[in-house]
Amino acid sequence: MNDPTRSRSLRIRAALAVAAVTGLGATALTALPAAAAGEAVTVQYRQSSTGGDQVEPWLKVVNTGQSSVPLSQVKVRYYFKADAGASYTYACSWAVKGCANLTGTFGTLASPTATADRYLEIGFTAGAGSLAPGADTGDMQLRFHRSNWQSLNQSDDYSFGPAQTTYANWSKVTATVGGVPVWGTAPAGNEPTPTPTDPTTPPTTPPPNGAALFDDFDYSGHTDPAIDAHGWSVRSNSGGPGVPGATWAPENVTFAKEGTNSIMNLRSSTAGTGESTRHTEILTRASKFKNGTYAARVRFSDAPVSGPDGDRVVQTFFTINDLKAPMADDYAEYDFEYLPNGGWGEPANILYTTSWETYRPDPWEAVNQHSEARTSYAGWHDLVLTIDDNAIVYYVDGQEFGRHDARYLPERPMSINFNQWLIDLAGQTSTAPRSYDQKVDYVLHVKDQVLTPAQVAAKVAAYRTAGTTFQDTVPAT
């Protein structure tokens, strides 16, 4: 196949049914009251309501360290015991920093306890800015409820403090800066497993310079000559994956400023027919990326920008090369794929990471491994993939999400891709127009170096501090 994205819908749909599944490797945070590279924060909490239909944790983050803290590197977790069979919806009622600059996602604890098996994680976009020493975020008036609005029980929730009617330090809510725990105590048994690093190198220090690709996606539009000059191709040809008869619309790949950052937006749309369906994709023309670290900051969305919800959308960040022959052992593909409305047999939102060894299209046979989490990932997320000679490791927001075997390691270099497409039109049969957005803040590849998520954040920050919006020193193969 000359087009590496052809038949992805067929391959992945079948592969997820036969793949060898690994357990979700994500671990919850613990509290180690030590700062990361001089950075330290405290979380203050008050409960706004003890009612039975929603949880209302109001929070403040306070910078108690000696240096400014970019809020985009801060994550806060509130732990609770989920009601049997319940799914949850996050909302922000009001925030001094602006609700649009806050993200809320739910996760599952690796070691459930009697008072916690889930958590709500609050993050910040770049638009939230930084906290100077001694400053705080001000009110973050948050809430979440069961998706069907049935009553819930807060009394057995780990982080719930019914007597906390005014703001005060609260150690049952945890915080990290750049993936490093700095505040609070997680439920027992959910301490993190630090990624081994050189003890002489602080985890937030960028690694030595090496061959790398960095792109801040600072372009005027899809026809900007710099896109081509920087090695990207905005897809316009026909073919799969996804809805038969759909087209790939380069004009729906746009760029705009959000705060101080330039953001790329992939907008895919449909009016319920193949002819009206527009998919979006951008990929590197060169397949020159193999071992090392891949990272991107991506905003997934659960709901359409406009129109009725329910389409089986796939939002992605992945690397891939071409299949030269059925079951060829030099094929490789490594995916982050978010399905906000389910699909491939899944009824609701799910995030997959999948490592491919090879496949045969007819008769179908797949060799791959995947990890998954069945929860909402709406909002901004830091996605990191590392590949060395021993393993493939996926991280989401600084926490290990999946670790896959050496038998899935790449034999040939790959391209880097982002796309958004609809699996089919069965999830929503309306003919009303609707569109979905997937946003990308940056992409980074560091050749032959395994970086921690904290080192990724530090390297990106170093590029931005230097005013570098694009760099590609990765040699052609």
Side-chain angles (χ1 to χ4, degrees), residues 5-10 13 235 239-248 274 277 279 312 314 344 419-425:
T5 62
R6 289 182 187 272
S7 301
R8 281 176 51 81
S9 175
L10 172 62
R13 190 163 56 240
R235 186 176 175 185
V243 175
T247 58
W248 296 82
T277 302
H279 295 156
R312 293 169 180 168
V314 184
W344 300 325
N419 67 19
Q420 183 181 217
W421 48 281
L422 279 66
I423 297 172
D424 53 38
L425 298 172

Side-chain angles (χ1 to χ4, degrees), residues 53 85-90 106 118 144-152 302 348-349 376:
D53 61 351
S87 63
Y88 292 86
T89 298
Y90 156 82
F106 295 97
R118 300 284 297 277
F144 64 94
H145 56 84
R146 293 183 61 166
S147 299
N148 59 9
W149 280 103
Q150 290 187 12
S151 61
L152 49 75
D302 279 353
N349 39 31
S376 172

Side-chain angles (χ1 to χ4, degrees), residues 219-232 285:
Y219 301 110
S220 61
H222 75 282
T223 60
D224 190 330
I227 294 178
D228 182 72
H230 291 169
W232 294 100
R285 293 194 309 276

Side-chain angles (χ1 to χ4, degrees), residues 29 59 61 70-78 90 92 95 97-106 119-129 137 140 142 174-176 297 299 378-382 397:
L29 305 176
L59 303 173
V61 176
L71 281 170
S72 61
Q73 295 189 23
V74 176
K75 296 285 191 295
V76 176
R77 287 188 177 181
Y78 179 98
Y90 156 82
C92 171
K97 290 290 184 181
C99 285
N101 291 319
L102 273 62
T103 63
T105 57
F106 295 97
Y119 59 82
L120 169 65
E121 182 172 270
I122 301 301
F124 300 86
T125 71
T137 59
M140 296 186 292
L142 313 176
T174 61
T176 58
R297 183 164 174 79
R299 186 183 187 278
W380 284 103
H381 295 283
D382 297 305
D397 298 330

Side-chain angles (χ1 to χ4, degrees), residues 242-263:
V243 175
T247 58
W248 296 82
E251 66 275 11
N252 288 355
V253 178
T254 59
F255 304 85
K257 289 287 186 181
E258 290 191 8
T260 59
N261 293 346
S262 178
I263 302 297

